[in-house]
Amino acid sequence: MATRQTTAAVPPPVRTPRRRRDGRAAALYLAPAAVLLLGMLAYPLYQLVLISFYDYGRAEAAGTAPLVFLGFDNYVELLETIKFWVVLAKTIGFAAVCVVGSLLVGTTLAVLASRVRAVPRMLLFLAALGAWATPAMAGSYVWLFLFDADFGLVNEVLAGLGWQSMADHSWTYGTYSAFGLVAMEVIWCSFPFVMVTMYAGIKGISEEILESAALDGASWTRIATSVMLPMLRPLLLIATIQSIIWDFKVFTQIYVMTNGGGVAGRNLVLNVYAYQEAFAGSQYGLGAAIGVVMTLILLSITALYVRSQRQSVEL
Amino acid sequence: MVAEVATVVIAGLVAFPLYWMVLSALKPAAEVQSANPRPWTFSPTFENFDRVLNSAGFARYFLNSTIVAVVVVGLSLLLSFLSAVALTRFRFRGRTVLLVMLLVAQMVPVEALTIPLFFLMRSIGDVAPAFGLNELGSLVLVHLAFQLPLAIWMLRGFVAAVPIELEEASKLDGASRFRFTWQILFPLVLPGLVAVSVLAFIHAWNDFLFAKTFIISKSENQTLPQAILVYFKPEENDWGAIMAGSTLMTIPVLIFFVLVQRRLVSGLSGAVKG
């Protein structure tokens, strides 16, 4: 703001060279990042779209066969395959469970953390940071081991509680139980972000506002829903959209925990599906088409994100 | 009091998988592969760690992961700081467009780019072998690029928070813009740099997809996630080794996290507040 005022105060002829000098310096500062982003993000994005329009198989990838332009044939093939719609539905369902789960757990624990003394709060934060820090790969293995059919602790405990049929139950065999297991791992490692964000937001609400609301006779639930929630809404929105974006494109956990997409591919999500079509099936064109569809879905969610940021951040 | 107890119990539940991982890594083989697992052990042993550390190439994979992560952290700090300064301190045409593009870039599902990036790396390998397929350079390139939009966006908030009066004052005192940027601004945005470095480290360290896709035949250039996969066998998984490997993979991130924990929380909330 201050610069705008000072530049407005000086006459235009002086302002122009300063601006141009700024522009040159900015170009210099931005150049390395710009080159990388253009090369590793923008260009591959363009290539992704391009590949999706071609019949791009093993021979084409090796360069031994000429490329055949197909137009939208890959997309038509994709949209006519029932498997694509099933995978899409599963992806949305899986992401929804993960998003709702991590938001609920994260927000609840943030509220809890803001109401307890320092020592329990510190324990909770340490545990959450531990879960957050665990690499997706390591987390997937631990959860797999906990729920292992033969050596897992969970089956042992369930059998010990008298549920004998669970003694060697396979959690990764059934479509829903496999998805559920992966979802638990995803929620476990993604709720800490929501918790930390929401905790910071709750701490940011001044005590005076809450006290005056209490003095006015508002109940605790009333304070939570009518005072705190509206103040936390911008943060909650950001946490929600971030979670949607993360959980929609989970790869490692699904790939590792369901061994590449489950028995007969019934635990595939779009990401793993595209990977399998391309690198296991050598159908790069079709894989790229799935990638494009995924990108479009996520970019439309981004549009929402940008709009929400516009309101809270001055661009 | 109820809330206090509940908090401690929940903390225990959240930490339990980690406890189980370390415990299983320390259990002797007979206790790990037992149908009656116990949440304790009276005969802790390092045999699982020994087996993993002495196995073909685990140390090498660990080193590879470290090299990629450290280089990505260093370069992303430098590049994102420069960009953040340019985007907040300089006035030039197209600034708003760039900011919107940065936001959009954060949302590109980079996993979808595996296919074109695979071909791109293959072509790069013809010109600059160190950055082609099967080389660590290819992983550095992609992780650096993927990390930049968020890093720049986060740092922007921190740089903008430094009052412009400070820059004017230092200019009056005769400091050049360059000097101001590196001697005053850089230390002031340290919390932001810490947050950025943690995110960049984790991002690069955890990657499984790109390592799997790019490092196809030169197994000595594999990174950690692939190293643990070896212990999954069709007959019987070597859970002791898997847990030991997972523990070794988690420790560096955990240390990093605990060290910067306080800064991270303030850094992230600062970024979210924009």
Short mmCIF file of all heavy atoms in Angstrom, two decimals, chain A residues 2 22 32-33 36-37 40 44 48 61 117 127 129 132-135 141-142 145 156 188 235 245 249 251 255 271 275 302 305, chain B residues 4 11 14 17-18 24 35-36 38 79 83 91 107 111-112 116 122 144-145 164 177 206 212 228 232 239 246 253 261 268 272:
data_model
loop_
_atom_site.label_atom_id
_atom_site.label_comp_id
_atom_site.label_asym_id
_atom_site.label_seq_id
_atom_site.Cartn_x
_atom_site.Cartn_y
_atom_site.Cartn_z
N ALA A 2 1.93 1.19 0.82
CA ALA A 2 2.78 2.36 0.98
C ALA A 2 3.43 2.75 -0.35
O ALA A 2 3.47 3.92 -0.69
CB ALA A 2 3.85 2.10 2.03
N ASP A 22 12.06 -2.24 -12.12
CA ASP A 22 11.41 -3.29 -11.32
C ASP A 22 11.11 -4.51 -12.17
O ASP A 22 11.37 -5.63 -11.78
CB ASP A 22 10.10 -2.76 -10.73
CG ASP A 22 10.27 -2.37 -9.29
OD1 ASP A 22 11.44 -2.19 -8.87
OD2 ASP A 22 9.26 -2.25 -8.58
N PRO A 32 14.57 -18.43 -12.98
CA PRO A 32 14.85 -19.86 -12.72
C PRO A 32 13.58 -20.66 -12.42
O PRO A 32 13.38 -21.75 -12.98
CB PRO A 32 15.76 -19.83 -11.48
CG PRO A 32 16.19 -18.44 -11.30
CD PRO A 32 15.25 -17.55 -12.02
N ALA A 33 12.72 -20.10 -11.56
CA ALA A 33 11.48 -20.80 -11.22
C ALA A 33 10.60 -20.93 -12.45
O ALA A 33 9.99 -21.98 -12.70
CB ALA A 33 10.74 -20.05 -10.11
N LEU A 36 11.75 -23.73 -14.82
CA LEU A 36 11.41 -25.05 -14.28
C LEU A 36 9.93 -25.34 -14.41
O LEU A 36 9.52 -26.43 -14.81
CB LEU A 36 11.80 -25.12 -12.81
CG LEU A 36 13.09 -25.86 -12.51
CD1 LEU A 36 13.46 -25.65 -11.07
CD2 LEU A 36 12.91 -27.34 -12.80
N LEU A 37 9.10 -24.34 -14.05
CA LEU A 37 7.65 -24.57 -14.07
C LEU A 37 7.15 -24.75 -15.49
O LEU A 37 6.27 -25.58 -15.74
CB LEU A 37 6.92 -23.41 -13.39
CG LEU A 37 7.08 -23.40 -11.87
CD1 LEU A 37 6.42 -22.18 -11.26
CD2 LEU A 37 6.49 -24.67 -11.29
N MET A 40 8.64 -28.37 -16.58
CA MET A 40 8.26 -29.58 -15.85
C MET A 40 6.77 -29.63 -15.52
O MET A 40 6.28 -30.61 -14.97
CB MET A 40 9.05 -29.68 -14.54
CG MET A 40 10.51 -29.90 -14.73
SD MET A 40 10.84 -31.54 -15.39
CE MET A 40 12.06 -31.15 -16.60
N PRO A 44 4.67 -30.55 -19.90
CA PRO A 44 4.08 -31.89 -19.74
C PRO A 44 2.56 -31.88 -19.77
O PRO A 44 1.94 -32.81 -20.29
CB PRO A 44 4.59 -32.35 -18.36
CG PRO A 44 5.84 -31.59 -18.16
CD PRO A 44 5.62 -30.26 -18.80
N LEU A 48 0.50 -34.03 -22.23
CA LEU A 48 -0.51 -34.97 -21.74
C LEU A 48 -1.75 -34.92 -22.63
O LEU A 48 -2.27 -35.94 -23.08
CB LEU A 48 -0.89 -34.63 -20.30
CG LEU A 48 -1.96 -35.52 -19.66
CD1 LEU A 48 -1.37 -36.86 -19.27
CD2 LEU A 48 -2.55 -34.86 -18.43
N ALA A 61 5.66 -45.67 -28.52
CA ALA A 61 6.53 -45.15 -27.47
C ALA A 61 7.98 -45.45 -27.77
O ALA A 61 8.87 -44.68 -27.45
CB ALA A 61 6.14 -45.77 -26.12
N ARG A 117 -5.64 -28.70 29.15
CA ARG A 117 -4.40 -28.11 29.64
C ARG A 117 -3.22 -28.44 28.74
O ARG A 117 -3.32 -29.28 27.84
CB ARG A 117 -4.15 -28.59 31.07
CG ARG A 117 -4.57 -27.54 32.10
CD ARG A 117 -4.61 -28.14 33.47
NE ARG A 117 -5.82 -28.95 33.64
CZ ARG A 117 -6.08 -29.67 34.73
NH1 ARG A 117 -5.20 -29.70 35.71
NH2 ARG A 117 -7.20 -30.36 34.84
N ALA A 127 1.63 -36.69 18.95
CA ALA A 127 1.12 -37.89 18.26
C ALA A 127 0.69 -37.54 16.84
O ALA A 127 0.99 -38.25 15.88
CB ALA A 127 -0.04 -38.49 19.05
N LEU A 129 1.67 -34.99 15.02
CA LEU A 129 2.83 -34.67 14.19
C LEU A 129 3.51 -35.96 13.74
O LEU A 129 3.99 -36.05 12.61
CB LEU A 129 3.82 -33.80 14.97
CG LEU A 129 3.50 -32.31 15.02
CD1 LEU A 129 4.52 -31.57 15.87
CD2 LEU A 129 3.46 -31.72 13.62
N TRP A 132 1.52 -37.33 10.95
CA TRP A 132 1.70 -36.45 9.80
C TRP A 132 3.04 -36.71 9.14
O TRP A 132 3.17 -36.74 7.92
CB TRP A 132 1.62 -35.01 10.30
CG TRP A 132 1.43 -33.99 9.23
CD1 TRP A 132 1.32 -34.19 7.88
CD2 TRP A 132 1.31 -32.58 9.45
NE1 TRP A 132 1.15 -32.99 7.24
CE2 TRP A 132 1.13 -31.99 8.17
CE3 TRP A 132 1.33 -31.75 10.57
CZ2 TRP A 132 0.99 -30.61 8.00
CZ3 TRP A 132 1.19 -30.38 10.39
CH2 TRP A 132 1.01 -29.83 9.13
N ALA A 133 4.06 -36.90 9.98
CA ALA A 133 5.41 -37.03 9.45
C ALA A 133 5.65 -38.40 8.81
O ALA A 133 6.53 -38.53 7.98
CB ALA A 133 6.42 -36.80 10.57
N THR A 134 4.88 -39.40 9.19
CA THR A 134 5.13 -40.74 8.66
C THR A 134 4.96 -40.76 7.15
O THR A 134 3.91 -40.36 6.63
CB THR A 134 4.15 -41.74 9.28
OG1 THR A 134 4.22 -41.61 10.70
CG2 THR A 134 4.52 -43.15 8.89
N PRO A 135 5.98 -41.20 6.42
CA PRO A 135 5.85 -41.28 4.96
C PRO A 135 4.67 -42.19 4.57
O PRO A 135 4.40 -43.18 5.26
CB PRO A 135 7.17 -41.91 4.54
CG PRO A 135 8.13 -41.61 5.63
CD PRO A 135 7.31 -41.59 6.88
N TYR A 141 2.45 -49.57 5.17
CA TYR A 141 2.93 -50.86 5.64
C TYR A 141 2.46 -51.16 7.05
O TYR A 141 2.06 -52.28 7.35
CB TYR A 141 4.47 -50.91 5.59
CG TYR A 141 5.02 -50.94 4.20
CD1 TYR A 141 6.22 -50.32 3.90
CD2 TYR A 141 4.34 -51.59 3.18
CE1 TYR A 141 6.74 -50.35 2.62
CE2 TYR A 141 4.85 -51.62 1.90
CZ TYR A 141 6.04 -50.99 1.62
OH TYR A 141 6.54 -51.01 0.36
N VAL A 142 2.53 -50.15 7.93
CA VAL A 142 2.14 -50.39 9.32
C VAL A 142 0.67 -50.76 9.41
O VAL A 142 0.30 -51.71 10.09
CB VAL A 142 2.41 -49.14 10.19
CG1 VAL A 142 2.02 -49.42 11.62
CG2 VAL A 142 3.86 -48.75 10.11
N PHE A 145 0.12 -54.18 8.21
CA PHE A 145 0.59 -55.16 9.19
C PHE A 145 -0.39 -55.27 10.36
O PHE A 145 -0.69 -56.38 10.82
CB PHE A 145 1.99 -54.77 9.68
CG PHE A 145 2.60 -55.79 10.61
CD1 PHE A 145 2.49 -57.14 10.35
CD2 PHE A 145 3.29 -55.37 11.73
CE1 PHE A 145 3.05 -58.07 11.22
CE2 PHE A 145 3.84 -56.30 12.60
CZ PHE A 145 3.73 -57.65 12.34
N GLU A 156 -6.29 -60.48 15.96
CA GLU A 156 -6.02 -61.15 17.24
C GLU A 156 -6.92 -60.58 18.34
O GLU A 156 -7.54 -61.33 19.10
CB GLU A 156 -4.53 -60.97 17.56
CG GLU A 156 -4.18 -60.83 19.01
CD GLU A 156 -3.78 -62.15 19.63
OE1 GLU A 156 -3.94 -63.17 18.93
OE2 GLU A 156 -3.34 -62.16 20.78
N TRP A 188 -5.73 -40.99 8.94
CA TRP A 188 -4.73 -40.95 10.02
C TRP A 188 -3.61 -39.98 9.70
O TRP A 188 -3.16 -39.23 10.56
CB TRP A 188 -4.18 -42.36 10.24
CG TRP A 188 -3.10 -42.47 11.27
CD1 TRP A 188 -3.23 -42.30 12.62
CD2 TRP A 188 -1.72 -42.78 11.04
NE1 TRP A 188 -2.02 -42.49 13.23
CE2 TRP A 188 -1.07 -42.79 12.29
CE3 TRP A 188 -0.96 -43.06 9.90
CZ2 TRP A 188 0.29 -43.06 12.43
CZ3 TRP A 188 0.39 -43.33 10.04
CH2 TRP A 188 1.00 -43.33 11.30
N LEU A 235 -10.95 -20.61 6.98
CA LEU A 235 -9.95 -21.65 7.20
C LEU A 235 -10.52 -23.02 6.89
O LEU A 235 -9.86 -23.87 6.29
CB LEU A 235 -9.48 -21.63 8.65
CG LEU A 235 -8.42 -20.60 9.01
CD1 LEU A 235 -7.99 -20.78 10.45
CD2 LEU A 235 -7.22 -20.75 8.10
N ILE A 245 -8.47 -32.03 -2.80
CA ILE A 245 -7.43 -32.15 -3.82
C ILE A 245 -6.46 -33.27 -3.47
O ILE A 245 -6.04 -34.04 -4.32
CB ILE A 245 -6.72 -30.79 -3.99
CG1 ILE A 245 -7.67 -29.81 -4.66
CG2 ILE A 245 -5.44 -30.94 -4.80
CD1 ILE A 245 -7.29 -28.38 -4.53
N LYS A 249 -6.46 -37.64 -5.34
CA LYS A 249 -5.36 -38.19 -6.13
C LYS A 249 -4.42 -39.04 -5.31
O LYS A 249 -3.22 -39.10 -5.59
CB LYS A 249 -4.62 -37.06 -6.84
CG LYS A 249 -4.20 -35.94 -5.93
CD LYS A 249 -3.51 -34.85 -6.71
CE LYS A 249 -2.74 -33.97 -5.76
NZ LYS A 249 -2.08 -32.86 -6.42
N PHE A 251 -2.28 -41.92 -4.40
CA PHE A 251 -1.70 -42.99 -5.24
C PHE A 251 -0.99 -44.04 -4.39
O PHE A 251 -1.36 -45.22 -4.41
CB PHE A 251 -0.72 -42.38 -6.25
CG PHE A 251 -0.08 -43.41 -7.14
CD1 PHE A 251 -0.69 -43.80 -8.31
CD2 PHE A 251 1.12 -44.01 -6.78
CE1 PHE A 251 -0.11 -44.77 -9.13
CE2 PHE A 251 1.70 -44.98 -7.59
CZ PHE A 251 1.08 -45.35 -8.76
N TYR A 255 -1.91 -47.97 -4.09
CA TYR A 255 -1.03 -48.86 -4.84
C TYR A 255 -0.37 -49.88 -3.92
O TYR A 255 -0.30 -51.07 -4.23
CB TYR A 255 0.05 -48.05 -5.58
CG TYR A 255 0.76 -48.85 -6.63
CD1 TYR A 255 0.33 -48.86 -7.93
CD2 TYR A 255 1.87 -49.64 -6.29
CE1 TYR A 255 0.95 -49.61 -8.90
CE2 TYR A 255 2.51 -50.40 -7.25
CZ TYR A 255 2.04 -50.38 -8.56
OH TYR A 255 2.66 -51.14 -9.50
N ASN A 271 -6.19 -42.30 -10.51
CA ASN A 271 -4.75 -42.18 -10.60
C ASN A 271 -4.04 -43.50 -10.90
O ASN A 271 -3.21 -43.59 -11.80
CB ASN A 271 -4.26 -41.71 -9.23
CG ASN A 271 -3.36 -40.54 -9.37
OD1 ASN A 271 -2.73 -40.38 -10.39
ND2 ASN A 271 -3.30 -39.73 -8.34
N TYR A 275 -2.22 -45.02 -14.37
CA TYR A 275 -0.86 -45.55 -14.31
C TYR A 275 -0.82 -46.97 -14.88
O TYR A 275 0.05 -47.30 -15.67
CB TYR A 275 -0.37 -45.55 -12.86
CG TYR A 275 1.05 -46.02 -12.72
CD1 TYR A 275 2.11 -45.11 -12.82
CD2 TYR A 275 1.35 -47.36 -12.53
CE1 TYR A 275 3.42 -45.54 -12.72
CE2 TYR A 275 2.66 -47.80 -12.43
CZ TYR A 275 3.68 -46.88 -12.53
OH TYR A 275 4.98 -47.31 -12.44
N THR A 302 -10.37 -26.31 -8.32
CA THR A 302 -9.47 -25.18 -8.14
C THR A 302 -10.18 -23.85 -8.34
O THR A 302 -9.92 -22.89 -7.63
CB THR A 302 -8.31 -25.26 -9.14
OG1 THR A 302 -7.74 -26.54 -9.06
CG2 THR A 302 -7.28 -24.20 -8.84
N TYR A 305 -11.52 -22.86 -5.35
CA TYR A 305 -10.46 -22.48 -4.43
C TYR A 305 -10.01 -21.04 -4.69
O TYR A 305 -9.92 -20.23 -3.77
CB TYR A 305 -9.30 -23.44 -4.60
CG TYR A 305 -8.19 -23.25 -3.62
CD1 TYR A 305 -8.37 -23.54 -2.27
CD2 TYR A 305 -6.94 -22.80 -4.02
CE1 TYR A 305 -7.35 -23.40 -1.37
CE2 TYR A 305 -5.91 -22.65 -3.12
CZ TYR A 305 -6.11 -22.95 -1.80
OH TYR A 305 -5.09 -22.80 -0.90
N GLU B 4 -9.49 -34.08 29.42
CA GLU B 4 -8.05 -34.33 29.54
C GLU B 4 -7.75 -35.81 29.29
O GLU B 4 -6.84 -36.15 28.52
CB GLU B 4 -7.55 -33.94 30.94
CG GLU B 4 -6.72 -32.68 30.97
CD GLU B 4 -7.58 -31.44 31.17
OE1 GLU B 4 -8.67 -31.59 31.76
OE2 GLU B 4 -7.17 -30.36 30.75
N ALA B 11 -4.51 -39.37 21.91
CA ALA B 11 -3.09 -39.23 21.54
C ALA B 11 -2.44 -40.61 21.46
O ALA B 11 -1.68 -40.90 20.53
CB ALA B 11 -2.37 -38.34 22.54
N VAL B 14 -3.60 -42.39 18.29
CA VAL B 14 -2.99 -41.82 17.08
C VAL B 14 -1.53 -42.27 16.97
O VAL B 14 -1.03 -42.58 15.89
CB VAL B 14 -3.09 -40.28 17.10
CG1 VAL B 14 -2.27 -39.67 15.97
CG2 VAL B 14 -4.54 -39.84 16.99
N PRO B 17 0.01 -46.76 15.84
CA PRO B 17 0.65 -47.38 14.67
C PRO B 17 2.16 -47.16 14.65
O PRO B 17 2.91 -48.06 14.26
CB PRO B 17 -0.03 -46.69 13.49
CG PRO B 17 -1.37 -46.31 14.02
CD PRO B 17 -1.14 -45.93 15.46
N LEU B 18 2.59 -45.97 15.09
CA LEU B 18 4.03 -45.72 15.10
C LEU B 18 4.72 -46.59 16.14
O LEU B 18 5.79 -47.15 15.90
CB LEU B 18 4.30 -44.24 15.41
CG LEU B 18 4.06 -43.29 14.25
CD1 LEU B 18 4.29 -41.86 14.69
CD2 LEU B 18 4.98 -43.64 13.10
N SER B 24 7.53 -53.74 16.39
CA SER B 24 7.67 -54.91 15.52
C SER B 24 9.06 -54.98 14.92
O SER B 24 9.58 -56.06 14.67
CB SER B 24 6.62 -54.88 14.41
OG SER B 24 5.35 -54.73 14.96
N ALA B 35 1.01 -65.81 15.47
CA ALA B 35 -0.43 -65.65 15.37
C ALA B 35 -0.99 -64.96 16.61
O ALA B 35 -2.14 -64.55 16.64
CB ALA B 35 -1.10 -67.00 15.16
N ASN B 36 -0.16 -64.85 17.65
CA ASN B 36 -0.61 -64.16 18.86
C ASN B 36 0.30 -62.97 19.17
O ASN B 36 1.09 -63.02 20.10
CB ASN B 36 -0.59 -65.11 20.07
CG ASN B 36 -1.50 -66.31 19.84
OD1 ASN B 36 -2.67 -66.15 19.51
ND2 ASN B 36 -0.93 -67.50 19.97
N ARG B 38 1.85 -59.71 20.63
CA ARG B 38 1.73 -59.03 21.93
C ARG B 38 2.21 -57.59 21.79
O ARG B 38 3.18 -57.33 21.08
CB ARG B 38 2.58 -59.75 22.97
CG ARG B 38 2.14 -61.16 23.27
CD ARG B 38 0.97 -61.16 24.26
NE ARG B 38 0.29 -62.45 24.24
CZ ARG B 38 -0.80 -62.71 23.51
NH1 ARG B 38 -1.31 -61.77 22.75
NH2 ARG B 38 -1.37 -63.88 23.53
N LEU B 79 15.03 -20.70 -5.00
CA LEU B 79 14.18 -20.26 -6.11
C LEU B 79 12.87 -19.65 -5.61
O LEU B 79 12.41 -18.65 -6.14
CB LEU B 79 13.88 -21.42 -7.06
CG LEU B 79 15.08 -22.04 -7.76
CD1 LEU B 79 14.62 -22.98 -8.86
CD2 LEU B 79 15.98 -20.97 -8.33
N SER B 83 11.56 -15.76 -6.14
CA SER B 83 10.28 -15.48 -6.79
C SER B 83 9.34 -14.72 -5.87
O SER B 83 8.64 -13.81 -6.30
CB SER B 83 9.61 -16.78 -7.22
OG SER B 83 10.51 -17.55 -7.96
N ARG B 91 7.02 -3.96 -8.50
CA ARG B 91 5.78 -3.66 -9.23
C ARG B 91 6.04 -3.84 -10.71
O ARG B 91 6.94 -3.21 -11.25
CB ARG B 91 5.33 -2.22 -8.98
CG ARG B 91 5.22 -1.84 -7.54
CD ARG B 91 3.78 -1.78 -7.12
NE ARG B 91 3.67 -2.30 -5.78
CZ ARG B 91 2.64 -2.99 -5.32
NH1 ARG B 91 1.61 -3.22 -6.10
NH2 ARG B 91 2.61 -3.43 -4.09
N MET B 107 -2.66 -26.72 -8.20
CA MET B 107 -3.77 -27.67 -8.24
C MET B 107 -3.63 -28.71 -9.35
O MET B 107 -4.44 -29.60 -9.45
CB MET B 107 -5.10 -26.92 -8.44
CG MET B 107 -5.31 -25.83 -7.44
SD MET B 107 -5.02 -26.45 -5.76
CE MET B 107 -4.67 -24.94 -4.92
N GLU B 111 0.48 -36.20 -10.50
CA GLU B 111 0.51 -37.64 -10.76
C GLU B 111 0.03 -37.94 -12.17
O GLU B 111 0.46 -38.91 -12.78
CB GLU B 111 -0.36 -38.39 -9.74
CG GLU B 111 0.15 -38.34 -8.32
CD GLU B 111 -0.26 -37.08 -7.57
OE1 GLU B 111 -0.81 -36.17 -8.23
OE2 GLU B 111 -0.01 -36.99 -6.37
N ALA B 112 -0.89 -37.10 -12.67
CA ALA B 112 -1.41 -37.31 -14.02
C ALA B 112 -0.34 -37.04 -15.08
O ALA B 112 -0.46 -37.46 -16.21
CB ALA B 112 -2.62 -36.42 -14.27
N PRO B 116 3.55 -38.02 -19.72
CA PRO B 116 4.42 -37.12 -20.50
C PRO B 116 5.79 -36.91 -19.86
O PRO B 116 6.78 -36.79 -20.59
CB PRO B 116 3.62 -35.81 -20.54
CG PRO B 116 2.58 -35.92 -19.51
CD PRO B 116 2.29 -37.37 -19.34
N ARG B 122 13.03 -39.18 -20.87
CA ARG B 122 13.74 -40.01 -21.82
C ARG B 122 14.46 -39.13 -22.84
O ARG B 122 15.62 -39.38 -23.18
CB ARG B 122 12.75 -40.94 -22.53
CG ARG B 122 13.39 -42.16 -23.12
CD ARG B 122 12.36 -43.07 -23.73
NE ARG B 122 11.59 -42.40 -24.77
CZ ARG B 122 10.67 -43.00 -25.52
NH1 ARG B 122 10.40 -44.27 -25.33
NH2 ARG B 122 10.02 -42.34 -26.45
N LEU B 144 11.41 -30.59 -7.52
CA LEU B 144 11.66 -29.16 -7.38
C LEU B 144 10.52 -28.38 -8.04
O LEU B 144 9.94 -27.47 -7.44
CB LEU B 144 13.01 -28.83 -8.03
CG LEU B 144 13.52 -27.41 -7.87
CD1 LEU B 144 13.60 -27.04 -6.40
CD2 LEU B 144 14.87 -27.26 -8.52
N ALA B 145 10.20 -28.77 -9.26
CA ALA B 145 9.17 -28.04 -10.00
C ALA B 145 7.82 -28.16 -9.29
O ALA B 145 7.07 -27.20 -9.16
CB ALA B 145 9.06 -28.57 -11.42
N ILE B 164 7.01 -2.41 4.55
CA ILE B 164 7.73 -1.72 3.48
C ILE B 164 8.59 -0.61 4.06
O ILE B 164 9.60 -0.22 3.51
CB ILE B 164 6.71 -1.19 2.44
CG1 ILE B 164 7.40 -0.90 1.11
CG2 ILE B 164 6.02 0.05 2.92
CD1 ILE B 164 7.44 -2.09 0.21
N ARG B 177 19.36 -2.58 -2.68
CA ARG B 177 18.21 -3.47 -2.64
C ARG B 177 18.66 -4.92 -2.44
O ARG B 177 18.06 -5.70 -1.74
CB ARG B 177 17.44 -3.34 -3.95
CG ARG B 177 16.19 -4.15 -3.97
CD ARG B 177 15.48 -3.93 -5.26
NE ARG B 177 14.11 -3.48 -5.02
CZ ARG B 177 13.31 -3.10 -6.01
NH1 ARG B 177 13.74 -3.06 -7.23
NH2 ARG B 177 12.07 -2.75 -5.74
N ASN B 206 9.18 -38.77 0.36
CA ASN B 206 8.08 -39.74 0.35
C ASN B 206 7.73 -40.27 -1.02
O ASN B 206 6.97 -41.22 -1.14
CB ASN B 206 6.81 -39.11 0.94
CG ASN B 206 6.92 -38.91 2.41
OD1 ASN B 206 7.92 -39.26 3.02
ND2 ASN B 206 5.90 -38.32 3.00
N LYS B 212 9.41 -44.84 -8.97
CA LYS B 212 9.02 -46.11 -9.59
C LYS B 212 8.98 -45.98 -11.12
O LYS B 212 9.34 -46.92 -11.83
CB LYS B 212 7.63 -46.49 -9.06
CG LYS B 212 7.11 -47.83 -9.54
CD LYS B 212 5.74 -48.07 -8.90
CE LYS B 212 5.00 -49.18 -9.60
NZ LYS B 212 5.76 -50.44 -9.60
N ILE B 228 12.07 -51.15 0.32
CA ILE B 228 11.29 -51.92 1.29
C ILE B 228 10.42 -52.96 0.58
O ILE B 228 10.12 -54.02 1.13
CB ILE B 228 10.44 -50.98 2.15
CG1 ILE B 228 11.34 -49.90 2.76
CG2 ILE B 228 9.74 -51.73 3.26
CD1 ILE B 228 10.63 -48.85 3.53
N PHE B 232 8.40 -57.90 0.43
CA PHE B 232 7.09 -58.50 0.18
C PHE B 232 7.29 -59.71 -0.72
O PHE B 232 7.75 -59.57 -1.85
CB PHE B 232 6.15 -57.50 -0.48
CG PHE B 232 5.55 -56.55 0.49
CD1 PHE B 232 6.18 -55.35 0.79
CD2 PHE B 232 4.37 -56.85 1.13
CE1 PHE B 232 5.64 -54.48 1.72
CE2 PHE B 232 3.81 -55.99 2.05
CZ PHE B 232 4.46 -54.80 2.35
N TRP B 239 7.77 -59.37 7.64
CA TRP B 239 7.23 -58.18 8.31
C TRP B 239 8.25 -57.48 9.20
O TRP B 239 8.26 -56.27 9.32
CB TRP B 239 5.99 -58.53 9.14
CG TRP B 239 4.78 -58.70 8.28
CD1 TRP B 239 4.10 -59.84 8.05
CD2 TRP B 239 4.11 -57.67 7.52
NE1 TRP B 239 3.04 -59.61 7.19
CE2 TRP B 239 3.03 -58.29 6.86
CE3 TRP B 239 4.33 -56.31 7.34
CZ2 TRP B 239 2.16 -57.58 6.03
CZ3 TRP B 239 3.47 -55.60 6.51
CH2 TRP B 239 2.40 -56.23 5.87
N SER B 246 10.62 -49.44 7.33
CA SER B 246 9.69 -48.32 7.48
C SER B 246 10.15 -47.39 8.60
O SER B 246 10.05 -46.17 8.47
CB SER B 246 8.29 -48.84 7.80
OG SER B 246 7.84 -49.69 6.78
N VAL B 253 12.36 -37.97 8.78
CA VAL B 253 11.25 -37.01 8.68
C VAL B 253 10.80 -36.61 10.08
O VAL B 253 10.51 -35.45 10.37
CB VAL B 253 10.07 -37.62 7.91
CG1 VAL B 253 9.09 -36.55 7.52
CG2 VAL B 253 10.56 -38.36 6.69
N GLN B 261 9.03 -28.19 14.80
CA GLN B 261 7.60 -28.29 15.10
C GLN B 261 6.93 -26.93 15.34
O GLN B 261 5.96 -26.58 14.69
CB GLN B 261 7.49 -29.19 16.32
CG GLN B 261 6.12 -29.54 16.75
CD GLN B 261 5.95 -29.19 18.19
OE1 GLN B 261 5.17 -28.33 18.50
NE2 GLN B 261 6.70 -29.83 19.08
N LEU B 268 2.85 -22.62 8.85
CA LEU B 268 1.69 -23.07 8.08
C LEU B 268 0.50 -22.15 8.29
O LEU B 268 -0.18 -21.78 7.35
CB LEU B 268 1.32 -24.49 8.46
CG LEU B 268 2.09 -25.56 7.71
CD1 LEU B 268 1.70 -26.92 8.23
CD2 LEU B 268 1.80 -25.47 6.24
N VAL B 272 -1.54 -20.08 5.57
CA VAL B 272 -2.97 -20.23 5.35
C VAL B 272 -3.67 -18.88 5.49
O VAL B 272 -4.55 -18.54 4.72
CB VAL B 272 -3.55 -21.27 6.33
CG1 VAL B 272 -5.06 -21.26 6.25
CG2 VAL B 272 -3.02 -22.64 6.00
#
